[in-house]
Amino acid sequence: MKNSFLILVTRLNFIFPYYLGVKFIKYKQYFNKNYKKYDNSFDVINATNYSIRNIPYYKKLGLEPIKSLLEFSAKIPIIDKDIIMNDWKSFVLPNYSNKNVVEGTTGGTSGKPLRLIIPKARHVVELNTMNSMWNQIGWRGEVRAVIRNKQLKPNQIFTVNPLKKEIIFDGFNTDISYYEKIYNTIKKYNIKFIHAYPSSAYQFSLFLKSTNKDTSIIKGFLCGSEGLTELQSALIKKELKIPIYNWYGHSEKLILGGPCKNNDVIHVEPTYGYFELLNENNQQIKTPGEIGEIVGTGIHNTFMPFLRYRTGDFAEYVGNYCKHCDRHLPLIKNIQGRWNKNKIYLIDNTYVTITALNLHSDLYLKINGIQYIQKEKGELEILIVKGDGFTNETENLFISHFDKSLLTKCNYIIKYTDIVTKEANGKFLPLKQHIKE
Ligand SMILES: [Zn+2]
């Protein structure tokens, strides 16, 4: 009863996402006007000169104000998490007022998280950009189901956030009986979109498949925070034909992007932040096919501005124009998390990445999960959850696949398991790498 009432309130909330006050509308106009082609060099120069005047770290460098992007890349040093951690205070506006900010941290699966100071008004930019991205698969502000990092009380099926229009389920409970309840709830309340980690969307989709559910009621998965693996995409997109909108973002909030309707590569939103893809010589990559590190500059944070910040994420450059949506903006694909988290070390001190271990899509349909674990160089554990139709022949195909892709420089052992586990923060790691670089 209480839940039905809350869901009614949620439905009647027309404030989110369309009317978040005057600021929102102003930003929306600005956003729409610049949708097809937006030159953010003015914002970058502004943010840089603001930092040179106000932020201790940049003041100490004694720089003259810059006038162009050319000067920006020639004069502004590249920073990373460690540099900021070592001298945290000097990256923050002195004497800022607590009233105007919220605090955040970088999620930490490894190492100490970085404390972030974020302006409160930030959600205006955040929501606008996100909403215009989710529009691409037809989301128009409807109530969403959320299966992410929430842990509920035993016997509680969901909780409601009327403000953000979310019906939140337990992201850690993967019991079939609980999935039945999720399915019945979204059917009952006619919820069309599910906001999830790719790994949660995958687990839920396995259930949809094995119980032969009508999946046409789900119009799309909205997925961020983890890369989408081939295994997940083969089941959700190819087999169940559920659209999946997988975007790229990170907790420092400098770069945000996602696919468009007809092009799966990541479109980096220029009104959100300034994007650079740098090679190992810190030169900007302009050639399609080349791989570099994503370096972001924020243009909306005056309390803790990040200029030329190494995100630790790597991507392949695709181009700067998408003919499908007629937009001029950076396009990238094959985003890899922190580089060492994707490396499998071979016995001769070289490595292969987990992308190199990608299976043929037919093989993905025979399994319900895969995870790599490395504890020692030249040794690899491969956990596989068998799916329908997994036979001895399938096993042989796996063996010949790994023999080939590990170049006989890594011993491996395949272990069969019932489920691959998530981290404490609810995320799934395709490779658990215990070797420190
Ligand atoms: Zn496009």
Side-chain angles (χ1 to χ4, degrees), residues 260 263 267 322 324-325:
C260 73
N263 187 358
H267 300 47
C322 174
H324 301 279
C325 58

Side-chain angles (χ1 to χ4, degrees), residues 380-392:
L380 185 69
E381 271 177 43
I382 303 163
L383 302 184
I384 287 178
V385 184
K386 288 183 188 177
D388 289 341
F390 191 102
T391 60
N392 285 343

Side-chain angles (χ1 to χ4, degrees), residues 135-147:
N135 267 338
Q136 300 288 331
I137 61 162
W139 185 76
R140 296 285 184 273
E142 295 97 334
V143 177
R144 285 164 293 140
V146 177
I147 313 175

